[in-house]
Structures are given as C-alpha cells and as structure tokens.
C-alpha cells in the first residue's frame, strides 16, 4: 500500500514529518510522498525520518495554479528540492501569501472580529499561516464553534473576509517541476468540477508543457471518475497516481493510505513515476 499525497505542519497538516512516517509504518504503507502546499521546507526532515524504516520516502510538493475562474493544484514528484528556479518561484508565492494574510486580518477587524497577527500565528506553529489558522483563532476567541461556518460566512472564496493570493499559471507549475527534474501531475481533478471535454482540453494543453500524470485515485473521486481519469491517462500517455490527501486532525475521518477506508493505490503508480523521470 502506498500514498502519494500527504501534508505536514509545514503547510496545512497537523502532523510533523516524523509523525507521518510513524503513521505510515503503523498503517503498513510501503511508500509515502510529502506534498506540502507551495513549500519544500519539510522534506529534509521527512526524508531523514524515513531512513532505516520500511517506508520509501518520496519528495513531493503541491503547487496552486489558476485556470480562468478555476483554482486547482499541480503535484510534483521526485524533483530536486534545492533547484534555484523552483525555490525562487516558491519564495514569490510565499510572499504573496503573507500579503494576503494582512488583507484578511484587516477585513476581519473591519467586520468586528478583533484579531492580531499573534492570535493567528500561534495556531500555525512551523507552518505558513493560512486560512485554517484564522479559523482556529476565531474559534479560540469565541466568535464561532465550527470551522465550516467560518468558511461559509467569512473565509470561503468570495466571502466577506476572503482575499486572493498569488498563484502561478498551470503552465508555469508544470514547467518549473520539469526543470527541477520532477514529474508534474494534476491533483484531484474531481475538485475542479470541469466537464470531461474541458478537462481533456486542459490535459492536452499541459501535456505540451510537460505534464506527466493525473491523480486518479483520491478519496473524493467516485468509481466512474476513476474510470474516466484512467481513460484520459491512457489516451495522453500519462501516469495514473493517487493519494489520500492526508491532513491529520484537520480531516479526522480520513486515514493515511486508505482515505475513507476504500482507497487502494497500486504500487505500480510510484514505479511508473520513477520510469517517467
């Protein structure tokens, strides 16, 4: 059993890289990828924690991209995390995230939710500050009881305290992962809510820039979607990958490697990624 999609405290997960490896061992996983959002900062600890264990560690990342009105993600695997152009792009994205957080804080205070940067920062630990940390601060201050309501009313896209942040284009995401020696993969296409025709158009366009795969197996994907995505992979000569998109306590019903219980990612997915390099 393998899992090619997980998050640590270095983005928006609740587990340290070391805890992810321990969970993978306990769950009988033979391979695990760390794919934190827009950062490689957790990879050194992750790779070190995997040494002398039964778990193969896979260097990964999840980049945010914009496709018209749709925001989606590109996973990258088996790249050089020290690649200069990659790190320059990640720095640009992180700086934009910081600017976005300032705007969110200003909006929340204008709306009467009295928060300081420190109120939010303490919920992030080693992570980059993101919207889940604003939600945690609002709950701690007694303004809300549940995270879902906060996103529905304030922090969701288009809501009163939402602010956009910098994102790379899909083409840039694909190209920069390729330049760093890795394989770029479209993450959880089911979240994009594109028609099959429009998804195929996107895949065709990104294949021209070096797209290497599609995340076929994911907890939100229904069986008919898996069949559809496998067909696209076959038609465009792409690697079919999969992962649980594990975030730890933030998704308590979801298990590393098994998703909601029925996720089964073939070990050949990792082998095929390596062959694509």
């Amino acid at each position: 059993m393998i899992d090619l999609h997980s998050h640590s405290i270095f983005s928006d997960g609740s587990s340290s890289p070391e805890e992810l490896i321990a969970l993978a061992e306990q769950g009988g996983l033979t391979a695990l990828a760390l794919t934190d959002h827009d950062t490689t900062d957790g990879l050194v600890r992750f790779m070190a924690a995997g040494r002398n264990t039964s778990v193969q560690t896979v260097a990964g990342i999840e980049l945010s991209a914009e496709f018209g009105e749709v925001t989606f993600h590109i996973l990258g695997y088996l790249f050089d995390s020290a690649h200069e152009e990659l790190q320059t792009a990640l720095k640009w994205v992180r700086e934009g995230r910081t600017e976005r957080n300032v705007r969110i804080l200003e909006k929340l205070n204008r709306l009467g939710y009295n928060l300081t940067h420190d109120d939010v920062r303490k919920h992030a630990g080693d992570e980059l500050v993101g919207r889940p940390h604003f939600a945690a601060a609002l709950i701690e201050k007694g303004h809300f009881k549940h995270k879902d309501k906060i996103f529905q009313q304030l922090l969701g896209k288009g809501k009163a305290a939402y602010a956009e942040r910098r994102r790379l284009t899909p083409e840039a995401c694909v190209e920069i992962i390729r330049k760093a020696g890795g394989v770029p993969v479209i993450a959880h296409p089911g979240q994009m809510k594109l028609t099959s025709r429009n998804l195929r158009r996107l895949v065709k366009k990104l294949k021209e820039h070096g797209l290497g795969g599609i995340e076929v197996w994911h907890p939100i994907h229904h069986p008919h979607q898996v069949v559809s995505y496998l067909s696209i992979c076959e038609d465009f000569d792409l690697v079919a990958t999969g992962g649980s998109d594990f975030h730890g306590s933030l998704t308590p019903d979801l298990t590393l490697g098994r998703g909601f219980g029925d996720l089964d990612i073939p070990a050949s997915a990792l082998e095929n990624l390596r062959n694509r390099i």
Side-chain angles (χ1 to χ4, degrees), residues 198-272:
N198 285 339
L199 178 58
R200 283 178 173 270
R201 286 175 178 167
L202 175 63
V203 168
K204 183 177 185 294
K205 181 178 182 180
L206 295 184
K207 179 69 188 292
E208 294 171 357
H209 292 267
L211 182 70
I214 297 174
E215 188 175 46
V216 170
W217 297 280
H218 186 278
I220 69 163
H221 290 168
H222 298 291
H224 73 274
Q225 291 177 304
V226 170
V227 171
S228 176
Y229 302 150
L230 282 172
S231 174
I232 294 174
C233 285
E234 184 175 349
D235 291 346
F236 288 92
D237 186 27
L238 297 172
V239 176
T241 74
S244 66
D245 205 352
F246 183 75
H247 286 76
S249 62
L250 299 176
T251 50
D253 297 331
L254 191 147
T255 304
L256 196 66
R258 298 297 294 167
F260 294 119
D262 57 355
L263 194 65
D264 188 12
I265 302 140
S268 59
L270 178 55
E271 181 182 350
N272 291 337

Side-chain angles (χ1 to χ4, degrees), residues 4 11 57 76 101 110 139 153 183 213 227 230 239 241 263 272:
L4 299 177
S11 65
T57 51
N101 289 339
R110 281 201 301 270
I139 291 171
Q153 296 180 23
V183 183
V227 171
L230 282 172
V239 176
T241 74
L263 194 65
N272 291 337

Side-chain angles (χ1 to χ4, degrees), residues 8-10 15-22 34 42-43 45-46 49:
S8 79
I9 56 173
F10 284 89
S15 304
S16 69
E18 294 81 6
E19 288 168 340
L20 285 174
I21 293 295
L34 177 61
L43 286 179
R45 284 173 54 180
F46 177 73

